[in-house]
Amino acid sequence: MNDSLDVREETALRFFGNISTSISHEIKNVLAIINENAGLLEDYNLMAEKGIPLNPERIKTLAETVMTQIRRADGLVKNMNKFAHSVDEASKTVDLREILELVVALSSRFAAIRGVGLELQPSSSAVSILSSPFFLENLIWLVLDFAMNATGNGKIVGLFAEKKEDGARVIFTQLDALGKAQKDEFPTEREKSLLHILNAEISLDHRAGQIFIDLPTEITL
Amino acid sequence: MRVLLVDDEKELVSTLAERLAIRSIDSDWVTDGEDALKLVETHCYDVAVLDIRLPGISGLDLQKKMKLKCPDLKFIFMTGHGSLGDFQAGATEAGTDYYLVKPVGIDELIEKMNNLMSA
């Protein structure tokens, strides 16, 4: 990375790159499945031309598979679009629940590769704060990345957002191996640079296996 | 020729297996590395087609484990990433000719398999 970039800029660029790579990988998988199903339809057509009867039920299944993959790609592109729009405004009022939902969706491939499940727990009411959507997503994503290495045998990270009197809090739970994590390895300079700009704080409860991100009600960038 | 397909996209490997069967190529498919290792313990395959990135284990690490169990097994890697890092890793292990980026044409895949078998 360029020496002239500071830690926060480099962190943000890496985040954007990682998410873009992951989404393009997912879309490639969708295309590969559609490609094989279209190829199979072609095979059946060639067989039908040679007098082998078509199985209507099989054709119906192939059409359903293609439609499922199109819905999957549509969801991926919608999330990509939502993510790209996070940089439209330096700061705006956001519902933390929606931010968490997006980061979980964007992280699903990373989690699957590591064999970790992500459980987004519902909050009953909106958790609104005035903050930077993009840097918030970046910070949650980095903490989630660390949390996925601290799940222990459970292999689950629970996440939820809650309103506080003086702001809001994001909580990562079920981190059974958090106690084994090196205390000096987290937060790193990357998380610290984002904590600074978001005026936020991270704390770890090793016994309970939880990480907290405390955010103010509003920040001005 | 007997082929083992390993990719966490079930719809991809199951359809690919059906298309190979139409072309008289016998194949089995699994969606994770653990099942792949179980299969190579009890079945003999000529070629394994592996996704570079699998849940819980990379395709390259899986290849090493499969080779220990089945030293004569030949490998083709598939990826959706196409990143330089993946390419370098996959091409080093399997050779640039046997590193395919999704979506893969079935004729190209079969050609690569035949090339491997005659190598």
Side-chain angles (χ1 to χ4, degrees):
Chain A
M1 196 55 70
N2 192 323
D3 287 344
S4 63
L5 294 180
D6 67 20
V7 174
R8 178 165 50 80
E9 288 167 337
E10 186 189 329
T11 302
L13 274 175
R14 278 179 190 271
F15 177 46
F16 215 92
N18 282 328
I19 295 297
S20 304
T21 309
S22 173
I23 291 170
S24 65
H25 176 270
E26 287 270 302
I27 290 173
K28 279 275 202 178
N29 274 334
V30 170
L31 290 173
I33 293 169
I34 292 174
N35 182 57
E36 289 312 320
N37 279 272
L40 188 53
L41 276 173
E42 209 172 47
D43 292 346
Y44 285 152
N45 187 48
L46 287 171
M47 288 159 73
E49 283 173 3
K50 288 177 184 169
I52 301 168
L54 286 171
N55 176 353
E57 276 306 307
R58 187 70 186 107
I59 302 295
K60 190 179 161 192
T61 310
L62 292 182
E64 282 167 0
T65 300
V66 171
M67 283 189 282
T68 301
Q69 293 304 318
I70 287 171
R71 282 194 294 274
R72 178 183 170 193
D74 186 49
L76 290 166
V77 173
K78 273 181 185 159
N79 283 334
M80 184 174 74
N81 187 267
K82 210 182 280 182
F83 175 63
H85 278 297
S86 341
V87 292
D88 287 355
E89 293 172 71
S91 60
K92 67 184 256 193
T93 301
V94 295
D95 185 343
L96 259 186
R97 296 176 308 173
E98 290 174 9
I99 296 275
L100 273 184
E101 204 175 309
L102 179 62
V103 176
V104 165
L106 296 172
S107 305
S108 59
R109 175 87 195 156
F110 297 102
I113 290 295
R114 288 151 84 165
V116 174
L118 304 178
E119 284 184 2
L120 185 56
Q121 291 147 23
S123 308
S124 52
S125 55
V127 185
S128 299
I129 56 170
L130 177 67
S131 192
S132 158
F134 180 76
F135 290 127
L136 204 46
E137 286 158 11
N138 196 166
L139 178 63
I140 293 168
W141 187 75
L142 283 173
V143 176
L144 183 56
D145 183 58
F146 173 78
M148 282 195 268
N149 287 332
T151 55
N153 294 330
K155 291 282 177 191
I156 295 283
V157 179
L159 303 96
F160 66 100
E162 65 180 21
K163 192 86 186 150
K164 287 172 57 191
E165 254 181 42
D166 56 346
R169 176 174 257 193
V170 178
I171 305 169
F172 300 78
T173 64
Q174 302 182 56
L175 310 177
D176 300 338
L178 189 59
K180 291 177 189 163
Q182 292 292 320
K183 286 179 183 171
D184 57 349
E185 74 181 22
F186 184 82
T188 67
E189 288 307 309
R190 294 185 191 282
E191 289 88 25
K192 283 176 188 167
S193 70
L194 294 165
L195 289 168
H196 177 72
I197 197 163
L198 293 166
N199 195 20
E201 284 177 13
I202 283 181
S203 52
L204 284 71
D205 183 337
H206 290 92
R207 287 187 67 173
Q210 295 184 337
I211 301 175
F212 308 96
I213 304 175
D214 289 306
L215 298 149
T217 306
E218 58 180 77
I219 59 163
T220 312
L221 292 178
Chain B
M1 175 164 46
R2 193 151 190 214
V3 179
L4 176 61
L5 306 167
V6 191
D7 193 301
D8 61 327
E9 297 285 351
K10 183 187 163 189
E11 297 292 354
L12 176 62
V13 276
S14 61
T15 313
L16 198 49
E18 193 173 343
R19 297 191 72 200
L20 289 173
I22 290 170
R23 289 157 178 82
S24 305
I25 297 173
D26 190 16
S27 66
D28 290 323
W29 58 268
V30 289
T31 56
D32 62 56
E34 206 174 310
D35 286 343
L37 289 169
K38 278 182 198 161
L39 269 185
V40 293
E41 274 178 6
T42 53
H43 295 68
C44 198
Y45 296 97
D46 299 300
V47 179
V49 181
L50 309 182
D51 189 3
I52 283 271
R53 298 197 182 199
L54 289 162
I57 187 168
S58 77
L60 298 172
D61 288 340
L62 180 61
Q63 181 208 29
K64 286 184 186 104
K65 289 187 175 184
M66 288 171 87
K67 262 187 171 174
L68 288 175
K69 291 176 189 286
C70 199
D72 293 333
L73 188 59
K74 295 176 169 64
F75 294 89
I76 292 174
F77 290 105
M78 285 199 303
T79 182
H81 264 281
S83 71
L84 186 62
D86 276 358
F87 173 76
Q88 283 167 341
T92 303
E93 289 300 322
T96 49
D97 284 347
Y98 303 106
Y99 175 88
L100 305 175
V101 178
K102 296 176 190 171
V104 176
I106 192 147
D107 293 335
E108 186 189 5
L109 180 62
I110 292 171
E111 189 192 329
K112 302 288 182 197
M113 288 175 182
N114 287 331
N115 289 347
L116 268 177
M117 292 304 294
S118 59

